[in-house]
Amino acid sequence: MESMPQNPNDTTSPGAGYRLVGRFLEACDCNAICPCWVDEVPDDDECTGLFVWDITAGEALGHDVAGLRVASVSFHQGRRRGSRQNVVLLVDERAADHQRDALVDVFTGRSGGPLAGLAEMLGALVAQRSAKIDLTWDGESATVDIEGAVATASTPKLGPSGRATTLVDPPVADVFGTPAVVGVSDRFRVELPELEASIDVTGRSANVGWFSYTG
């Protein structure tokens, strides 16, 4: 796995139920920027989305989980908060049983802390399983493929200065992370029978950034 530079937002501390640092990729079928980031109603009043956590350092419930990845594929209607999402949680196939169990607890919000918001948004965990999560970083761009069933790539939107456009401290920053580099997907594909989702679109919202959680 490609080594990542130090996260300037790292505020983790020892002795917590979990402390996790890494990078994220978030994509969905909304046009950029997905309204969920600012707690507004998504395009067409519904959103099928992907969130991938690439953990570069940290522990979950006493277990070292550095180098592992977790992906959540979800569907909801209306605003994200209070929407009661249907979720498929995919955990890195390289995780041992104890690591996988800990990551499921953390990334369903059961372990509390800043990720408790995931439990508040969860309507139904329709599936949880191991998967091969291929993720490649190229600066502020990212590409992910999960066993051909879920795939996307993010290219950052540049401002007039040539710098990437960023979204700082949005309403969902506690769960998602901040800042987020605003981007567009060259493709967003989801084919998951468990979620009853079949999507293959281009030019939609796709963002990357850092996360740092202590709970």
Side-chain angles (χ1 to χ4, degrees):
M1 177 185 300
E2 178 186 351
S3 62
M4 303 303 303
Q6 183 179 0
N7 176 11
N9 299 317
D10 183 2
T11 58
T12 58
S13 59
Y18 59 88
R19 51 184 187 86
L20 304 168
V21 174
R23 295 193 75 176
F24 69 79
L25 166 64
E26 181 272 336
C28 71
D29 57 349
C30 289
N31 295 309
I33 304 169
C34 173
C36 295
W37 275 90
V38 290
D39 197 27
E40 294 295 335
V41 177
D43 295 346
D44 301 321
D45 196 40
E46 61 183 36
C47 181
T48 298
L50 165 70
F51 205 99
V52 182
W53 293 271
D54 188 11
I55 303 168
T56 56
E59 298 178 351
L61 310 186
H63 305 295
D64 183 1
V65 293
L68 298 177
R69 297 161 179 162
V70 178
S72 173
V73 187
S74 63
F75 170 80
H76 72 275
Q77 295 177 312
R79 284 187 170 87
R80 180 178 290 271
R81 292 190 185 278
S83 62
R84 316 308 294 174
Q85 302 175 88
N86 290 335
V87 173
V88 175
L89 193 69
L90 305 170
V91 180
D92 200 318
E93 65 176 6
R94 299 171 297 168
D97 289 349
H98 61 279
Q99 293 172 312
R100 182 179 63 252
D101 292 346
L103 290 169
V104 169
D105 273 3
V106 169
F107 286 102
T108 54
R110 300 171 190 165
S111 297
L115 294 179
L118 295 175
E120 295 169 3
M121 292 185 284
L122 180 64
L125 183 61
V126 298
Q128 63 182 61
R129 59 180 172 85
S130 298
K132 183 180 181 182
I133 304 173
D134 291 319
L135 180 62
T136 302
W137 296 99
D138 181 10
E140 292 169 325
S141 298
T143 302
V144 67
D145 185 282
I146 305 175
E147 299 178 339
V150 181
T152 195
S154 172
T155 300
K157 295 284 289 183
L158 302 181
S161 66
R163 293 179 298 178
T165 302
T166 58
L167 184 62
V168 178
D169 201 27
V172 293
D174 52 344
V175 174
F176 282 9
T178 187
V181 175
V182 175
V184 174
S185 62
D186 64 352
R187 183 184 188 188
F188 179 62
R189 169 183 165 83
V190 176
E191 287 285 348
L192 286 176
E194 305 102 317
L195 201 61
E196 298 182 356
S198 179
I199 292 172
D200 198 341
V201 294
T202 60
R204 304 302 174 92
S205 180
N207 309 305
V208 302
W210 284 104
F211 64 84
S212 179
Y213 308 128
T214 297

